[in-house]
Amino acid sequence: MAQSNTLALVTGGIGGIGSAICRALSTDSCHVVACYYPAEESKAQQWLNEARAEGLNVSVYPADVADAGAAAAMIESIEAQYGGIDVLVNCAGITRDKTIRKMPVEDWDAVINTNLNSVFYVTKPVMSGMLERRYGRIINISSVNGQRGQFGQPNYSAAKAGLHGFTMAAAQEGARKDVTVNTVSPGYVATPMTGKMPPEVLDSIVSTVPMGRLGKPEEIAAAVAFLAAPETAYVTGANIPVNGGLFMSF
Ligand code: CAA
């Protein structure tokens, strides 16, 4: 079923990749709600002003998606205000890079909660409505490092690998109701997240990318927009790698 008035929710929506996804999904007939971490209030207001000045059909909503209660309350409030969510992009994510021997339990927990548990917390209430309405597009933003592992990222690699299992299970639960669930796995993309890496480590990784450069946020957003389209109805439980050839698999 094609959607005439579509509602999309993007968690991590004001971040590097999330912003590009909001821009790619926003149209006259698709309103996009960008969920942001509550501590980023002033950044979110500035983001909203700039996005609206650009003509984007967007709103912002504060919620800590690593908190199950906050995630459920957000979905209830957004659906009461705008109607059912047709497209969910789980993009919220953080890094706390350290080797296993140096990693405090807090850094393990923070990344698992924000990058993996949050996806269950947000998807659960959204998917219930999608199954009832018999339509939905769920796209989980994973990472190349969920497929191949990365030195210094045991927490992040575990969470992002977990998203693939979640995606395939959810895809089976949604399949008979036209709710598709897929994963996009970015490689190293020019965002504040990679900007925090030690430059020499980033350079050495980029030198191993067959395309020899970082990805652009818009290149990730293009894959998300493909999966979010009503026409992309027969793709489910899939992963689209967008990594410049850094990890190739089939
Ligand atoms: N492979 C093997 N050995 C390595 C290595 C590697 N890639 N990198 C370092 N080592 C070795 C060092 O030579 C050193 O060896 P010795 O002890 O024998 O001297 C040892 O490992 C250093 O270990 P430490 O525990 O002391 O590590 P560190 O504190 O120096 O560095 C780190 C840890 C800062 C996390 C660093 O590994 C790092 O920056 N890694 C990159 C993490 C990364 O790729 N992050 C991506 C962020 S962006 C993102 O996540 C988006 C996305 O989806 C891609």
Side-chain angles (χ1 to χ4, degrees):
M1 182 179 76
Q3 304 288 295
S4 49
N5 273 306
T6 305
L7 179 63
L9 172 64
V10 180
T11 72
I14 68 169
I17 291 177
S19 296
I21 293 171
C22 291
R23 190 172 285 111
L25 296 183
S26 156
T27 61
D28 285 349
S29 61
C30 181
H31 184 71
V32 183
V33 180
C35 163
Y36 65 95
Y37 189 61
E40 297 193 310
E41 179 62 36
S42 61
K43 181 182 168 192
Q45 287 309 322
Q46 189 184 343
W47 183 94
L48 182 63
N49 291 339
E50 288 171 9
R52 290 207 171 143
E54 247 184 76
L56 300 184
N57 183 6
V58 292
S59 305
V60 291
Y61 195 98
D64 178 2
V65 291
D67 174 334
M74 167 178 69
I75 302 310
E76 200 181 324
S77 164
I78 290 174
E79 294 205 326
Q81 189 173 352
Y82 300 104
I85 294 167
D86 306 292
V87 177
L88 168 64
V89 184
N90 286 305
C91 184
I94 58 169
T95 52
R96 295 277 190 280
D97 293 352
K98 287 183 187 69
T99 51
I100 293 166
R101 68 194 180 111
K102 291 183 178 174
M103 182 169 292
V105 169
E106 293 73 26
D107 284 357
W108 173 267
D109 288 344
V111 169
I112 298 294
N113 285 333
T114 303
N115 297 15
L116 179 60
N117 291 342
S118 70
V119 173
F120 169 65
Y121 299 154
V122 176
T123 301
K124 180 178 163 66
V126 172
M127 194 167 173
S128 295
M130 288 178 168
L131 293 171
E132 273 167 32
R133 294 187 300 276
R134 305 183 76 92
Y135 182 84
R137 297 280 179 270
I138 299 173
I139 298 124
N140 298 319
I141 307 302
S142 182
S143 165
V144 65
N145 292 343
Q147 296 175 279
R148 61 166 204 161
Q150 170 61 41
F151 187 100
Q153 283 199 308
N155 47 3
Y156 189 88
S157 301
K160 294 298 191 181
L163 286 184
H164 293 295
F166 180 81
T167 294
M168 292 186 285
Q172 293 180 38
E173 295 185 15
R176 296 283 172 94
K177 304 276 173 65
D178 279 338
V179 176
T180 66
V181 189
N182 294 289
T183 305
V184 171
S185 292
Y188 283 73
V189 178
T191 63
M193 186 179 271
T194 50
K196 280 195 317 194
M197 292 175 64
E200 65 286 1
V201 177
L202 181 59
D203 286 349
S204 77
I205 291 174
V206 172
S207 73
T208 67
V209 177
M211 287 195 178
R213 64 168 176 88
L214 292 172
K216 299 175 192 160
E218 308 82 67
E219 292 168 332
I220 312 305
V224 173
F226 166 73
L227 292 169
E231 297 75 22
T232 312
Y234 203 54
V235 179
T236 198
N239 174 52
I240 301 187
V242 188
N243 63 29
L246 180 57
F247 180 78
M248 300 185 190
S249 63
F250 66 93

